[in-house]
Amino acid sequence: MNRKMRMPVIAGNWKMNNGPAAAEKLVGEIKPFAETTGCEVVLCVPYVSLQAALAAAAGTGIKIGAQNCHWAPSGAFTGEVSAEMLKELGVPYVIVGHSERRQYFGETDGTVHDRTRAALDAGLKVILCVGELKAQRLSGITAEVVRLQTKLALEGVSAEEVEQRVVIAYEPVWAIGTGLTATPEQANEVNALIRALIAELYSAQTAERTVIQYGGSMNDANAGELLAQPDIDGGLIGGASLSAEKFAAIIKAASA
Ligand code: 13P
């Protein structure tokens, strides 16, 4: 990370874990460790746990996020939740384009773009996920895949929005939930190419100000060396974010 230019963001993605009661408990356990000015702490929780998490995090530095949002403000979209509804609830962050949504729920680069745009229009901050499949890495097309995903998602997004309200999370799909972490060098290489793309699309200044996280089996043991890389500005953490102790250690590593 480059602290002079960017504040690291440590975000937990709880995925489909922790209903309201468990959310209240875990936010409470994380609270004492989140009182740091060294990084921004975000917890992305299931929709049904948003209110409990917001209440439990009130008065602390912890920001609460959702894990997806629809691209329309309202309408006949059974089972969906709009960015405007999240805004109304007081939710500041939303994850868009997570690989599990791309893999299991038909998310495409087009819908990722539309959801990103809707979230920004509603005034939310977006954690935009990109990353290659194992087969794509083995075929040597990681750079092309990640560049394309990022470029399509950010079409029509302004430099100011990217700098202030978009966090890009590089999450190699083969590293998610597998215990296989990208090496710090592998992760930094892709984060650096995303930053170079931002410079190409916007400017060197915007690239320097854009927060780019790494996600994929980040945990208390490996966070330090990943976060020491110059282009890794935080993490999007799945499994390890379900343990207050492990998540606290990652917050500490980012605040060091
Ligand atoms: P894991 O940390 O469990 O590998 O999950 C990463 C992830 O998908 C975060 O969004």
Side-chain angles (χ1 to χ4, degrees), residues 31-248:
K31 247 194 228 181
F33 304 103
E35 298 310 322
T36 165
T37 50
C39 66
E40 172 135 303
V41 177
V42 184
L43 298 174
C44 298
V45 313
Y47 287 134
V48 295
S49 302
L50 283 169
Q51 277 190 300
L54 283 165
T60 74
I62 299 174
K63 306 283 191 308
I64 300 300
Q67 299 171 9
N68 193 20
C69 67
H70 196 264
W71 54 82
S74 61
F77 299 105
T78 303
E80 290 290 312
V81 170
S82 74
E84 310 229 336
M85 291 169 178
L86 296 174
K87 183 71 183 173
E88 183 183 336
L89 210 57
V91 173
Y93 270 94
V94 64
I95 295 174
V96 170
H98 192 277
S99 66
E100 285 149 17
R101 301 236 39 108
R102 295 179 192 255
Q103 229 176 332
Y104 307 129
F105 303 102
E107 192 79 72
T108 66
D109 287 328
T111 54
V112 171
H113 166 267
D114 294 349
R115 293 182 205 273
T116 301
R117 191 58 266 163
L120 292 171
D121 287 344
L124 303 181
K125 290 188 173 183
V126 174
I127 299 178
L128 167 65
C129 301
V130 297
E132 82 287 2
L133 302 170
K134 185 173 187 185
Q136 292 168 331
R137 175 161 282 266
L138 294 176
S139 304
I141 57 169
T142 297
E144 285 94 326
V145 169
V146 170
R147 274 177 61 93
L148 195 67
Q149 288 176 343
T150 309
K151 208 168 170 172
L152 290 171
L154 293 180
E155 213 175 273
V157 174
S158 73
E160 195 186 342
E161 285 170 331
V162 173
E163 287 178 28
Q164 295 176 11
R165 290 198 289 127
V166 177
V167 170
I168 299 173
Y170 166 54
E171 296 209 309
V173 180
W174 49 270
I176 294 178
T178 57
L180 286 175
T181 318
T183 65
E185 294 73 23
Q186 276 174 327
N188 193 67
E189 185 185 12
V190 180
N191 278 35
L193 81 81
I194 295 170
R195 200 175 308 286
L197 173 66
I198 300 296
E200 220 177 274
L201 296 175
Y202 299 95
S203 67
Q205 178 184 290
T206 297
E208 280 187 344
R209 291 179 177 173
T210 302
V211 174
I212 308 178
Q213 299 173 318
Y214 166 77
S217 299
M218 189 188 270
N219 57 39
D220 46 326
N222 60 29
E225 51 177 4
L226 285 161
L227 295 169
Q229 294 291 318
D231 284 298
I232 300 182
D233 311 319
L236 184 55
I237 299 111
S241 75
L242 299 174
S243 147
E245 199 185 350
K246 289 182 182 168
F247 195 64

